[in-house]
Amino acid sequence: MIEETTESASLNSQELEAMYAISRVVAQSTELDTSLNEIINFARPVFIFDNVVMYLLEGSESLEPSYARAIGRGRSSEADLAWGEKTAHEIFRTEQIVVRKEVKGDFSKDRMRLRYFLGLPLMVVGRLMGALVFVRYGGPPFTPDHTQLAEFITTHVAQLLEHQQLVKRLSNLEAERRLERLQDDFVATISHELRTPLGFIKGYATTLLRDDISWDEETRKEFLTIIDEETDRLKELIDNLLDSSRLQSGTLRMEFQPVRLDTMLRDMALRAGSFHENLTIELNMETTGVQVNADPTRMAQVFDNLLSNATKYAPGSKVSITLKAAGETAHMEVSDNGPGIASDHLKNIFNRFYRVPNEKTSVRGTGLGLFICRRIINGHYGDIWAESEEGKGTTFHITLPCEYVDGSLSDNQPM
Ligand code: ADP
């Protein structure tokens, strides 16, 4: 049975107050379910019902329950959302208010067997979005006055939905814009980073190939060294880019094996010391015999990156590497006394492509190094973070799950 209410009645002061309160909820709404709870709480003293369910249109096919409250009789049936479905489908078909009565057997002993349903279409800008279905167990039946109150409530719920849709659309738009901006920034950064070494390579190769000039051996060697170095840089850049997208998509394979951290850190320090001429590394081994399950190549990549960052961003500073362990956790630190990183930037440095803006230096980079470090360390079930104080320096911390193979302590070795 479908009934349309035409009769209108004026609201008494309590009803008016409730409706104002509901309007305020809609105006101040931030979260849909919380606002719906508040609306139901304000409505209930002036409009009696036992259960309410909101169905929303999924695609254009079906109405799915998205919110339910059991208030009066039948509180326990909150989870059973099927009771309003018949009414909801009728609304879906007709887009009109539906008033139904259902009798399930003898209701003289169990009032729950007599059910009065009031269902209202939720319309947003003239389109059916869903339905709100109220039920009363055992009566009284819904009167036109009740229907008018329910219509008022439904209009407000529809406004809530419209508001939520708008917020969702805006945030999608914002996310899309952000992504577009990120992609533009990415293309700009990467093009610049790829073009610089390529420019050097092309320039020096073309110069060397000129027929009209004969280069002496020393100049030839100097040009070839530049080409060699810039080719390494190009390779490193492309490797980083590939690693970063493999890490992002979870397809970077790691080969785990037992690795002693003191030995590994000594090797890293030796390697970095020979690679970066002006780098002084101090090793503080507060514990030895600590072993982790790790991919040695990937771990080397992490420390190479931290040490090369120290030479890039804290030039001339001594760098100390510390190894400690407590319980089942190994803790490593890489510290410098460089210019440090402002707290605003510190929270972002592990993000993909993030670089601290600095007009004073022209240090080259892509903002991929620390992103890759974090992914690798996380892939070892560990953690990496940074502490920094401007003007004082930066410390990178790494923790990894560990075990002990032997346990001698204190073996501090400056290098
Ligand atoms: P890249 O070096 O390619 O810019 P990273 O991801 O390795 O990228 O580093 C991100 C940013 O963190 C760098 O651009 C730099 O501003 C900052 N940073 C990293 N290490 C240090 C450090 N030891 N001292 C000061 N700033 C640092």
Side-chain angles (χ1 to χ4, degrees), residues 193 233 236-237 240 305-315 319 334-342 345-346 348-358 361 363-373 386 388 393-396:
E193 288 303 317
R233 165 141 185 84
E236 184 194 317
L237 246 163
N240 269 350
N305 189 66
L306 295 181
L307 293 170
S308 108
N309 273 356
T311 62
K312 273 160 56 176
Y313 302 107
V319 177
V334 178
S335 287
D336 64 58
N337 309 316
I341 304 166
H345 296 297
L346 193 64
N348 295 319
I349 57 172
F350 291 95
N351 291 348
R352 209 176 180 210
F353 304 124
Y354 193 85
R355 303 202 70 216
V356 179
N358 188 345
T361 69
V363 177
R364 288 155 73 176
T366 51
L368 287 173
L370 291 177
F371 166 81
I372 292 175
C373 289
S388 189
T394 307
T395 300
F396 286 90

Side-chain angles (χ1 to χ4, degrees), residues 89-150:
H89 283 120
E90 214 166 315
I91 294 170
F92 183 41
R93 213 167 29 81
T94 60
E95 297 196 3
Q96 287 187 31
I97 294 175
V98 175
V99 185
R100 284 180 54 238
K101 178 179 167 188
E102 208 174 77
V103 182
K104 293 252 169 179
D106 180 7
F107 60 86
S108 60
K109 291 196 187 73
D110 181 2
R111 286 167 64 85
M112 300 275 287
R113 290 175 182 272
L114 173 63
R115 300 159 182 186
Y116 290 95
F117 294 98
L118 172 62
L120 303 102
L122 280 164
M123 308 294 288
V124 173
V125 247
R127 267 191 47 230
L128 184 78
M129 280 277 294
L132 208 57
V133 181
F134 297 92
V135 66
R136 276 178 187 169
Y137 293 111
F142 289 102
T143 64
D145 282 3
H146 297 153
T147 308
Q148 200 195 24
L149 280 172

Side-chain angles (χ1 to χ4, degrees), residues 5 13 28 104 123 127 190 221 233 323 327 339:
T5 46
S13 64
Q28 292 159 5
K104 293 252 169 179
M123 308 294 288
R127 267 191 47 230
I190 295 308
K221 204 149 184 203
R233 165 141 185 84
L323 170 63

Side-chain angles (χ1 to χ4, degrees), residues 138-317:
F142 289 102
T143 64
D145 282 3
H146 297 153
T147 308
Q148 200 195 24
L149 280 172
E151 264 187 292
F152 193 88
I153 296 166
T154 310
T155 311
H156 280 78
V157 172
Q159 274 177 30
L160 263 187
L161 291 176
E162 190 181 354
H163 175 74
Q164 204 209 20
Q165 264 189 351
L166 216 68
V167 170
K168 211 160 147 191
R169 228 177 293 150
L170 269 177
S171 85
N172 282 348
L173 211 68
E174 208 179 299
E176 262 171 44
R177 292 244 171 90
R178 221 176 18 239
L179 192 69
E180 262 171 37
R181 252 196 326 267
L182 257 177
Q183 280 166 346
D184 286 351
D185 287 354
F186 168 68
V187 172
T189 311
I190 295 308
S191 318
H192 174 75
E193 288 303 317
L194 292 175
R195 283 179 94 112
T196 314
L198 261 181
F200 278 116
I201 295 166
K202 172 77 182 152
Y204 283 100
T206 309
T207 310
L208 279 175
L209 284 170
R210 277 176 68 166
D211 291 330
D212 53 338
I213 307 175
S214 63
W215 304 102
D216 60 57
E217 190 51 29
E218 198 185 330
T219 316
R220 224 174 59 89
K221 204 149 184 203
E222 189 191 324
F223 288 2
L224 283 172
T225 309
I226 294 172
I227 293 175
D228 188 46
E229 283 172 2
E230 293 299 318
T231 313
D232 284 346
R233 165 141 185 84
L234 206 57
K235 181 180 174 308
E236 184 194 317
L237 246 163
I238 291 168
D239 286 348
N240 269 350
L241 271 174
L242 286 175
D243 276 357
S244 117
S245 64
R246 282 188 198 126
L247 282 162
Q248 189 83 342
S249 63
T251 53
L252 186 81
R253 274 175 55 86
M254 302 223 205
E255 308 274 346
F256 291 97
Q257 64 184 67
V259 173
R260 267 186 69 143
L261 286 181
D262 51 344
T263 317
M264 179 191 84
L265 291 174
R266 273 200 192 96
D267 289 350
M268 307 269 173
L270 263 177
R271 222 157 58 119
S274 65
F275 201 67
H276 305 284
E277 275 172 19
N278 299 322
L279 180 64
T280 313
I281 299 177
E282 182 187 87
L283 271 179
N284 305 310
M285 297 292 155
E286 292 182 18
T287 182
T288 57
V290 175
Q291 187 171 286
V292 294
N293 207 17
D295 180 328
T297 316
R298 296 294 163 197
M299 288 306 288
Q301 200 176 346
V302 170
F303 283 90
D304 280 350
N305 189 66
L306 295 181
L307 293 170
S308 108
N309 273 356
T311 62
K312 273 160 56 176
Y313 302 107
S317 157

